Amino acid sequence: MFNKKFIGIFFIAVFTFLLLSCATTVNVKMLRPAKLDLQGAKSIAVLPFKPSSSYSTMVDSEYAVVSAIGTFFQIFDNKNPYEENLLNLLKTTIEGGLASSKYIDLVSSESVQNALKNSRTPPVDVYLLGSSTDFHINDEHNVEKTKISDEYYTEDGRFVKAKYDYKDEYKRSVHLSCNYQLVDAVTNKVISYRNFSLETSSSTCHSKSDLPDPYSMLKKQVYNKGQDILCLLQPYVVTKSIELMEDKTKNEAFKNANNLAKKGEIEESYQAFFDLYFSTGMMEAGYNAAMLDMARGNLSMAEKMMKELYSIYQDERILTGLKDIQNEIKLAERLRAQTGN
């Protein structure tokens, strides 16, 4: 009993220590550049993603494949309604994000399709062209056999067979694969070619009617993939976690500055760490001030201060922080090139 009680107290003490000694983390929203270089495009259209029955090989080459565009003007009788709804969700998710974009104009897919059908230059800078390459639903059926009684002989010598219970088990898996490419509408040059595969499985059911419908099974993954594609096409926001250094000396001014950071009061915390560093030369305060200056968007000043700190202390943690700031500077330069801001 003593040992169990002692172990319990020990783990509580360790957990409390870790909780109290955790470094402060500041979360800030930061705008990132689009992952693709759209080569100055100001307008975009998203063509419907075609079902796998219409799949025509899209070659990863410099120029768009005519046969891939040609499939848009065919009629397909083999369309799977679940696949069609998932592809529509993918298109509307991408269009929804682009419709509210401050950085690029969304053009209707119908106007682009009409232009392509009539061999005219589409009224858009770039367009997204995609197709499902594989969609299948696989339902597995197994029968679980459970023994509920052994065989035996009755008193009068009759043999009674063992009894078994039989229970149906059903499980469903759904798979969707797509290719898509971003095309320069004037030159037909393929700016980017990509593909993805999504797959999921249901839990086991005892009746086939209880299996979830394939659309609901893949709906969330398809929506998330649409959000991923949006990050390729336009600037997007991320939450960046910035970990501050701890103070081992129990300095009261450091503690106050740290508490301000915990409350999310970035400006006030930055100023408190900055003042503490220049009054005491405390490395941890200087590091935290530089990292918070990065969070405030003052990248050049943050870099200057972190370089000064590294020249004095030669601490590897400072070098890591400096590289983080310099990476943010590169991202900011790409963002300015894309947005002109």
Side-chain angles (χ1 to χ4, degrees):
M1 178 67 71
F2 171 77
N3 287 340
K4 288 183 178 179
K5 184 176 180 180
F6 176 78
I7 290 171
I9 293 172
F10 172 77
F11 277 113
I12 291 172
V14 169
F15 176 77
T16 303
F17 172 78
L18 291 174
L19 189 66
L20 292 174
S21 62
C22 278
T24 298
T25 300
V26 175
N27 295 319
V28 291
K29 302 286 186 182
M30 305 192 84
L31 189 62
R32 291 284 184 254
K35 294 180 179 179
L36 286 179
D37 179 7
L38 299 191
Q39 302 173 8
K42 300 299 181 185
S43 59
I44 188 171
V46 182
L47 274 61
F49 281 72
K50 291 302 175 179
S52 53
S53 58
S54 69
Y55 175 60
S56 175
T57 303
M58 293 194 283
V59 180
D60 182 6
S61 65
E62 186 178 5
Y63 296 96
V65 182
V66 174
S67 61
I69 300 173
T71 61
F72 280 86
F73 312 116
Q74 300 173 19
I75 297 174
F76 306 99
D77 297 324
N78 303 339
K79 290 187 294 185
N80 183 299
Y82 298 117
E83 179 186 24
E84 187 176 16
N85 287 339
L86 288 167
L87 294 176
N88 286 339
L89 172 62
L90 182 60
K91 178 180 184 290
T92 56
T93 299
I94 299 169
E95 284 188 317
L98 292 171
S100 58
S101 176
K102 300 184 293 184
Y103 309 103
I104 195 165
D105 295 327
L106 180 65
V107 175
S108 74
S109 60
E110 289 80 5
S111 63
V112 173
Q113 286 179 271
N114 288 335
L116 291 171
K117 187 175 183 179
N118 294 290
S119 301
R120 300 195 312 268
T121 301
V124 72
D125 293 331
V126 295
Y127 60 87
L128 192 70
L129 176 73
S131 176
S132 167
T133 58
D134 180 39
F135 179 77
H136 62 261
I137 304 164
N138 182 42
D139 289 347
E140 297 179 18
H141 177 217
N142 296 303
V143 178
E144 182 185 19
K145 181 181 177 182
T146 306
K147 193 174 188 179
I148 57 176
S149 68
D150 295 323
E151 65 274 9
Y152 64 94
Y153 286 93
T154 63
E155 292 182 356
D156 58 4
R158 287 184 300 107
F159 176 74
V160 179
K161 294 181 179 179
K163 291 184 180 180
Y164 295 89
D165 180 52
Y166 297 91
K167 187 175 293 184
D168 289 317
E169 290 186 342
Y170 295 91
K171 192 172 184 179
R172 171 169 288 168
S173 61
V174 186
H175 176 92
L176 172 67
S177 294
C178 289
N179 287 341
Y180 62 95
Q181 52 191 331
L182 190 69
V183 182
D184 185 305
V186 176
T187 65
N188 276 347
K189 182 179 179 181
V190 176
I191 298 172
S192 179
Y193 173 92
R194 301 193 178 211
N195 54 60
F196 65 85
S197 292
L198 306 175
E199 191 165 19
T200 189
S201 297
S202 72
S203 57
T204 301
C205 302
H206 296 299
S207 171
K208 189 171 184 178
S209 62
D210 291 334
L211 288 171
D213 76 86
Y215 175 80
S216 66
M217 290 175 66
L218 269 185
K219 179 180 178 181
K220 184 175 181 180
Q221 286 191 50
V222 169
Y223 174 82
N224 290 339
K225 179 53 63 176
Q227 296 296 321
D228 290 343
I229 294 173
L230 277 171
C231 294
L232 298 173
L233 305 175
Q234 64 174 359
Y236 59 99
V237 175
V238 298
T239 299
K240 182 180 178 72
S241 294
I242 301 171
E243 188 174 297
L244 304 182
M245 280 190 184
E246 299 175 75
D247 170 35
K248 306 298 184 183
T249 66
K250 308 303 179 184
N251 183 287
E252 194 63 30
F254 189 102
K255 180 180 178 181
N256 292 334
N258 200 52
N259 286 336
L260 289 170
K262 287 180 178 179
K263 294 176 185 177
E265 297 176 10
I266 306 298
E267 296 289 336
E268 295 81 355
S269 179
Y270 158 76
Q271 194 61 55
F273 278 124
F274 183 86
D275 292 343
L276 180 59
Y277 171 66
F278 276 96
S279 63
T280 65
M282 186 178 183
M283 181 190 76
E284 293 83 357
Y287 175 90
N288 290 351
M291 295 301 282
L292 290 172
D293 215 12
M294 175 180 69
R296 296 166 72 227
N298 295 333
L299 301 179
S300 59
M301 293 300 295
E303 181 188 31
K304 180 180 178 182
M305 187 170 185
M306 202 66 89
K307 282 181 175 179
E308 176 186 307
L309 281 167
Y310 187 68
S311 68
I312 298 171
Y313 297 103
Q314 298 292 305
D315 190 294
E316 285 299 313
R317 293 172 296 172
I318 296 175
L319 184 59
T320 299
L322 176 59
K323 289 178 180 178
D324 189 9
I325 293 169
Q326 290 173 335
N327 182 59
E328 289 296 334
I329 291 172
K330 291 178 182 177
L331 290 171
E333 288 170 351
R334 281 182 52 201
L335 182 62
R336 278 194 293 272
Q338 290 179 4
T339 63
N341 298 326

